[in-house]
Amino acid sequence: MTTARHAPSEFNVREIDVPVRSISRLGPLVGTERYSDLRLAAERTSRRLDGQTVWNFSSTAAGGGVAEMLRVLVGYIRGTGVDIRWLVMAGDAEFFSITKRIHNRLHGVSGDGGNLGPEEADHIQRVTDSNLEGVLDRIQEGDIVLLHDPQTLAMASAMAAAGARVVWRCHIGREGANQWTDQAWAFLRPHLAACDACIFSLRQYVPSWMDASRVRVIPPSIDPFSPKNQEMSPADVIRTLGRIGLLVQNGPDLAGRFTRTDGSPGRVERRASIVADGDTALALDAPLVVQVSRWDRLKDMSGVLEGFALAVVDQVDAHLALVGPSVANVTDDPEGAEAFAECLAAWGALPTKTRQRVKLVTLPMDDVDENAAMVNALQRHARVIVQKSIVEGFGLTVAEGMWKGKAVIASRVGGIAEQIAPGTGILLDDPADLPAFGETLAGLLTRPDEIAKMGDRARQHVLEHFVGDRHLIRYAQLIEWLVV
Ligand code: UDP
């Protein structure tokens, strides 16, 4: 493989403008005690920071769990008066195919089978150095730099040399090592020396050789007020899904309303691209099963389709929507288009009767808030939500579905197993067992009472464990520890 030489600053970081949010909104939801803990933590942190900046670097502004969380957390932390920023790095196709290889291997699978050697390290460093040119002189002694996921890790030593305290947050992982995880860690390990701390979503993801005193475990969270999770009236759910083209329009074609991240009113105007046999639009009362994911083989959209075809179609009158972002837009995920094409081929090979029950939906990403509102409406309209991942770092879509009072059927892998407690959803012991998945789904669809009870318990469970105040307090503790 040859790597092209890049002119300086060929790749430039881009700052994302995140609207301020007030933590006071969380008060009525989480109760006095939790809110008071949050307020005190916020006050301590802003005193400690004393004007230093907290920088976040990631590789995409939309279309995955990291972007979803940063949009929320950065807004809340800005609201406490801390100077916190979020920048997204740029790269070429080769850069993102190498980082996707690392991503796959940290999950324990080979991915595209390519190398992770000195040439790849060299390419990553060149693209990273180009990005750094646009930002390094803004980093001050004592600033805190949070690098998200493997894509940004090669920034660590330059940031440390600039006097920043550097934290690497790894949002992915696998319980237990194999040859692929070993290879990914060998590739990443030289950069970790420059990091003051590493954050993982689960304790089980921490490699055994890592210095435990530098490790923090912080599970992700959802924000009840974001366009993705905010309350949405049944009328707006129907309008939104009518507008994107998934539900029939009985009345006038009105746009679904939602509140944007910056507090201004928003409307869902765009259509989704829907692959369907026959009508793209479903009747309002057609029971719908939904999985929302990036088009990533590890999310196993094709497996959901197969399990649904095997067991559900003949037993229950339900439909399936496999929903993901438009594959043209998620630049840090080069395998998205291939995974979607595979799903499309599997859909095309279904018998007509089955194919008519399955829709492949890709959502426009032009407007991130609008995309989030579409996902919100889809999750709210779903009778059952599925997340049948083969492996999963955390799986925010599970908490999102549970927050909406939905019964979720998901694989017992990674962070999903931490989210679904007994009675709050259904865990699949073997994600590869498609008949078992299909039977479980078909069975649940015939038990509306159980769906309702499970959904109520699910929402309560998420409120208790995965709402943003928990997450913010852990960040505050980390910052206090870093700036002593
Ligand atoms: N998502 C989205 N639009 C889409 C598909 C996914 O906003 O078209 C969001 C989804 O709602 C969730 C995130 O992307 O917030 C996916 O996070 P998760 O932790 O489930 O998986 P990841 O993509 O980080 O592996």
Side-chain angles (χ1 to χ4, degrees), residues 63-66 68 228 292-294 299 323-325 363 365 371-372 375 379 392 394-397 400:
V66 178
E68 178 70 21
K228 176 75 51 75
V292 178
S293 288
R294 287 179 298 106
K299 307 287 185 184
V323 182
L363 301 177
M365 299 293 292
N371 173 275
V375 173
Q379 290 171 332
E392 188 61 77
F394 182 74
L396 269 181
T397 48
E400 288 165 4

Side-chain angles (χ1 to χ4, degrees), residues 62-69 103 107 149 171-172 220 222 228-229 292-296 299 301 323-326 330 333 361-365 368 371-372 375-376 378-379 387 389 391-398 400 404 419:
V66 178
E68 178 70 21
M69 264 191 299
H103 175 103
H107 277 311
D149 275 343
H171 295 267
I172 50 185
I222 59 137
K228 176 75 51 75
N229 298 308
V292 178
S293 288
R294 287 179 298 106
W295 301 98
D296 181 321
K299 307 287 185 184
M301 294 283 221
V323 182
S326 154
V330 185
D333 195 351
V361 182
T362 53
L363 301 177
M365 299 293 292
V368 183
N371 173 275
V375 173
N376 191 347
L378 279 156
Q379 290 171 332
Q387 191 58 57
S389 308
V391 291
E392 188 61 77
F394 182 74
L396 269 181
T397 48
V398 172
E400 288 165 4
K404 287 156 190 131
Q419 294 180 70

